[in-house]
């Protein structure tokens, strides 16, 4: 008995996982900058400093640049996998669509990993940051 799936079955499952991943909420990834289709194993995000607006002068007067600082923040790309054993031969004997359930489970695992990576980066960037809320302070620890 073969333990290998055809390339069309693999593609179908891959498409199903991606569909499950894209449906529903995107978690914390909507709160950060994301760059897709990066070639290589690192990407440098450009971080812009703060600037201040100046009052506009008369027409055709010289402009005053803000002199905003530009820095690069490197991001190292890593590959993640969410693998699980399944017995496709038992599909006829169970009362659920195991392939669909597994695709949804894998997609949710990848979403949770992405959220955890965002939380880890936040904690590393601002380890002592607090936001005052009345008598108590809101910290990064409250997020996790």
């Amino acid at each position: 008995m073969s333990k290998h799936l055809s390339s069309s079955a693999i593609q179908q499952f891959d498409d199903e996982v991606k569909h499950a991943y894209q449906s529903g909420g995107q978690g914390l990834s909507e709160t950060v900058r994301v760059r897709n289709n990066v070639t290589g194993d690192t990407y440098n995000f450009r971080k812009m400093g703060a600037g201040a607006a100046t009052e506009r002068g008369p027409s055709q007067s010289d402009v005053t640049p803000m002199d905003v600082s530009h820095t690069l923040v490197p991001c190292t790309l890593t590959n993640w996998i969410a693998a699980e054993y399944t017995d496709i031969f038992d599909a006829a004997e169970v009362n659920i669509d195991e392939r669909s359930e597994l695709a949804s489970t894998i997609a949710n695992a990848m979403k949770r990993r992405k959220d955890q990576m965002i939380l880890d980066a936040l904690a590393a960037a601002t380890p002592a940051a607090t936001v005052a809320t009345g008598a108590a302070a809101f910290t990064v620890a409250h997020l996790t």
Side-chain angles (χ1 to χ4, degrees), residues 48-129:
M48 306 289 280
T54 57
E55 185 176 1
R56 182 182 177 141
S59 293
Q60 299 186 12
S61 62
D62 290 339
V63 295
T64 305
M66 293 187 299
D67 292 326
V68 175
S69 65
H70 298 246
T71 57
L72 296 178
V73 178
C75 176
T76 302
L77 307 177
T78 55
N79 288 322
W80 293 88
I81 187 171
E84 183 59 40
Y85 291 112
T86 182
D87 191 351
I88 60 171
F89 301 107
D90 287 340
E93 299 175 12
V94 295
N95 61 353
I96 61 168
D97 181 2
E98 184 175 355
R99 188 183 75 232
S100 177
E101 289 291 326
L102 187 57
S104 178
T105 301
I106 290 170
N108 289 333
M110 296 305 280
K111 286 180 186 180
R112 285 190 298 275
R113 173 52 57 198
K114 184 191 280 188
D115 285 350
Q116 188 61 54
M117 291 170 67
I118 292 169
L119 291 172
D120 292 346
L122 176 65
T126 56

